[in-house]
């Protein structure tokens, strides 16, 4: 079994709910883990040098293109070397942290992690997506339909024309309930959601399998 690649993106450190849930997964995971903390060491946003380096002969790279290509090589090799994935992506202002989007833009490269003529080399590998949301976004709630984290990442990570991963999303809701007096009545719902989330990821860690990376 190859390693689990764990990508963290919460800015809150040990107080982060998504990180705490991810730790429950990690505690139950039986194999090796490679951890990249994008909050502690963010990757740069994709720029002109990084885009143009992909279609320029390496022998003709400028110093900026060479540096951008080296970073992409590092991130892509790390991604493709994994047999399973754990993505810790909380909701910030209805969407994902910008550091996670920056990482995605660096690793999604035609001919390397995706192939328009066939499947991605990572197709079918299991991925667990852990998100945490300050409010409630499920059916029947006032915020239903306003989650632009999980649906967007299920589309990008799981799309067979992109990375093609086998994505399972787990969300902790109402994380602001213990901190906002107006949401105090929702604390029991938050606690139930959080406990269920921890239980779900522990089960996933022991039931998914990580095929050897090609």
């Amino acid at each position: 079994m190859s390693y689990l690649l764990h990508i963290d993106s919460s800015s809150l450190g040990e107080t982060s709910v998504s990180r705490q849930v991810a730790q429950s997964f990690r505690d139950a995971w039986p194999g090796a883990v490679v951890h990249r903390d994008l909050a502690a060491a963010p990757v740069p946003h994709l720029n002109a040098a990084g885009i143009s380096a992909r279609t320029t002969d390496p022998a003709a790279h400028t110093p900026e293109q060479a540096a951008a290509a080296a970073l992409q090589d590092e991130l892509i090799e790390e991604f493709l070397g994994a047999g399973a994935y754990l993505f810790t992506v909380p909701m910030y202002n209805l969407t994902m942290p910008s550091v996670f989007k920056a990482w995605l833009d660096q690793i999604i490269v035609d001919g390397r992690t995706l192939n328009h003529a066939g499947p991605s080399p990572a197709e079918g590998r299991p991925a667990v997506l852990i998100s945490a949301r300050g409010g409630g976004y499920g059916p029947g709630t006032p915020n239903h339909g306003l989650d632009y984290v999980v649906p967007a990442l299920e589309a990008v990570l799981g799309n067979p024309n992109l990375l093609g991963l086998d994505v399972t999303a787990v969300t902790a809701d109402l994380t602001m309930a213990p901190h906002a007096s107006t949401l105090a009545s929702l604390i029991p719902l938050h606690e139930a959601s959080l406990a269920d989330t921890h239980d779900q990821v522990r089960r996933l860690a022991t039931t998914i399998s990580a095929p050897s990376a090609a």
Side-chain angles (χ1 to χ4, degrees), residues 105-184:
D105 290 341
Q106 295 284 3
I107 65 124
I108 298 179
V109 179
D110 189 17
R112 302 190 68 182
T113 54
L114 66 92
N115 182 355
H116 292 302
S120 163
E123 183 182 45
R125 297 180 191 174
V128 175
L129 168 61
I130 295 172
S131 191
R133 313 180 291 195
Y137 292 80
T141 67
N143 291 328
H144 180 53
L146 294 178
D147 179 353
Y148 299 103
V149 182
V150 173
L153 289 179
E154 286 177 329
V156 174
L157 299 170
N159 189 326
N161 294 317
L162 293 173
L163 298 179
L165 304 179
D166 181 10
V167 181
T168 301
V170 181
T171 58
D173 288 336
L174 299 166
T175 61
M176 285 301 298
H179 310 289
S181 59
T182 56
L183 299 178

Side-chain angles (χ1 to χ4, degrees), residues 61 66-79 106 112:
H61 277 173
L71 172 64
Q72 290 180 36
D73 287 346
E74 175 188 343
L75 297 175
I76 289 170
E77 288 168 9
E78 181 178 76
F79 175 78
Q106 295 284 3
R112 302 190 68 182

Side-chain angles (χ1 to χ4, degrees), residues 1 4 21-33 84-86 126-128 130 168 170 197-210:
M1 180 184 292
L4 171 80
V21 175
Q23 190 59 54
S24 287
F25 183 98
R26 291 274 303 271
D27 289 345
W29 179 255
V33 178
Y85 305 90
L86 176 63
V128 175
I130 295 172
T168 301
V170 181
T197 301
H198 281 283
D199 287 343
Q200 286 185 63
V201 299
R202 291 187 190 103
R203 289 195 298 270
L204 285 167
T206 59
T207 57
I208 67 173
S209 60

Side-chain angles (χ1 to χ4, degrees), residues 43-47 98-99 101-102 105-106:
V43 300
H45 289 275
L46 189 61
N47 59 17
S98 65
V99 291
K101 181 60 165 61
D105 290 341
Q106 295 284 3

Side-chain angles (χ1 to χ4, degrees), residues 14-51:
E14 294 181 357
T15 64
S16 161
V17 170
S18 61
R19 286 178 183 264
Q20 292 168 6
V21 175
Q23 190 59 54
S24 287
F25 183 98
R26 291 274 303 271
D27 289 345
W29 179 255
V33 178
V34 171
H35 181 217
R36 182 175 288 272
D37 188 339
L38 297 175
V43 300
H45 289 275
L46 189 61
N47 59 17
I51 295 171

